[in-house]
Amino acid sequence: MFKSLLNLFFPKTCSGCSSYLTANETIICTTCRHDIPLTNHYLNQENEAFKKFYGRVAVRHVSCFVYFHKKGIVQEMIHNLKYRGHEEVGSMLGNWYAADLKSVPEVTSATCIIPVPLHKRKLRERGYNQVATFGKALSTQLSLPYNDKVLIRKVYSKTQSKKNLLGRTEGIQSTFDVNFTSDDHNKHFLLIDDVITTGATLEACSKALLKIPGASISIVCMAMTES
């Protein structure tokens, strides 16, 4: 009764298009769910996201769930997640993509899930890491532990989305480091992030994780920009 009254006076809106959700819809509307641009990377090991890392860093698998287009459904969803506190968007995308990833041996053989970290100052400012709910949903669905302590961000930087290509890559290699013990040796880390653009951040994170003896890396992201 109370929930129905709450929805009457404060109706929920779609995170993709801002239209009002019906009683049978959650987070995004049926139209956006139908129209969201899926990549289907998980079906092809040599996909476009994997190829971004050719000659840059050794990775076992790379895949992204959806394409990110300017002024599109996914951009609106990611902005709602990242800047407006709609962490449920990450959970939805994680639960949705996990159903596909269960058929990918390079993902299911991972030892643990590692999120791209925020600097402590940025975490205090935002209040949460935007990839945390995505990672925790994957953790639950794929039965893989979630670990946000191994990979650390040493350098505070302003939002990457407002930088040009040079700004995104400049100095990024020295931004990340690892805090590990012998228990972390020989692990297959599933590194996760929100959006791949140039791949520079994920390359730097991967190189940091590969300082751990015997480490190997796979990467899964919510989205990638389509060239």
Side-chain angles (χ1 to χ4, degrees), residues 39-54 57-65 97 101 104 106-107 188-193 195-196 199 202-203 206 217-224:
T39 69
N40 291 317
H41 284 166
Y42 75 100
L43 296 173
N44 177 18
Q45 174 64 18
E46 298 287 325
N47 62 62
E48 61 196 313
F50 183 79
K51 291 176 180 177
K52 277 184 176 286
F53 297 91
Y54 279 179
V57 64
V59 290
R60 295 173 60 170
H61 169 89
V62 185
S63 64
C64 305
F65 184 37
Y97 201 23
L101 295 174
V104 182
E106 290 293 354
V107 172
H188 174 196
F189 297 108
L190 182 62
L191 180 63
I192 63 165
D193 201 6
V195 182
I196 291 182
L202 288 160
E203 177 188 352
S206 297
I217 310 294
S218 289
I219 295 171
V220 165
C221 296
M222 299 180 209
M224 74 170 290

Side-chain angles (χ1 to χ4, degrees), residues 89-103:
V89 170
S91 298
M92 181 201 71
L93 292 175
N95 287 323
W96 193 354
Y97 201 23
D100 295 333
L101 295 174
K102 287 177 181 178
S103 66

Side-chain angles (χ1 to χ4, degrees), residues 27-165:
I27 305 175
I28 61 172
C29 67
T30 302
T31 299
C32 283
R33 185 175 289 271
H34 179 268
D35 291 344
I36 198 166
L38 303 176
T39 69
N40 291 317
H41 284 166
Y42 75 100
L43 296 173
N44 177 18
Q45 174 64 18
E46 298 287 325
N47 62 62
E48 61 196 313
F50 183 79
K51 291 176 180 177
K52 277 184 176 286
F53 297 91
Y54 279 179
R56 297 169 66 178
V57 64
V59 290
R60 295 173 60 170
H61 169 89
V62 185
S63 64
C64 305
F65 184 37
V66 294
Y67 287 115
F68 182 104
H69 299 132
K70 287 187 176 181
K71 299 183 180 179
I73 295 168
V74 174
Q75 183 188 55
E76 186 67 16
M77 290 172 62
I78 296 295
H79 280 201
N80 275 321
L81 166 63
K82 194 170 182 176
Y83 304 116
R84 300 166 188 151
H86 294 198
E87 293 185 83
E88 67 277 5
V89 170
S91 298
M92 181 201 71
L93 292 175
N95 287 323
W96 193 354
Y97 201 23
D100 295 333
L101 295 174
K102 287 177 181 178
S103 66
V104 182
E106 290 293 354
V107 172
T108 58
S109 66
T111 311
C112 64
I113 296 171
I114 305 285
V116 169
L118 297 181
H119 187 269
K120 289 181 179 179
R121 177 179 165 187
K122 179 62 69 67
L123 187 59
R124 287 195 301 270
E125 290 171 354
R126 185 171 295 164
Y128 60 96
N129 185 336
Q130 72 273 9
V131 300
T133 51
F134 177 69
K136 289 174 182 178
L138 292 177
S139 172
T140 299
Q141 297 298 326
L142 301 175
S143 300
L144 297 174
Y146 177 86
N147 189 330
D148 60 1
K149 306 300 181 186
V150 172
L151 185 62
I152 57 175
R153 186 185 289 257
K154 300 185 298 180
V155 179
Y156 175 85
S157 60
K158 294 184 178 180
T159 302
Q160 290 283 331
S161 62
K162 296 180 181 179
K163 296 181 179 180
N164 59 24
L165 179 60

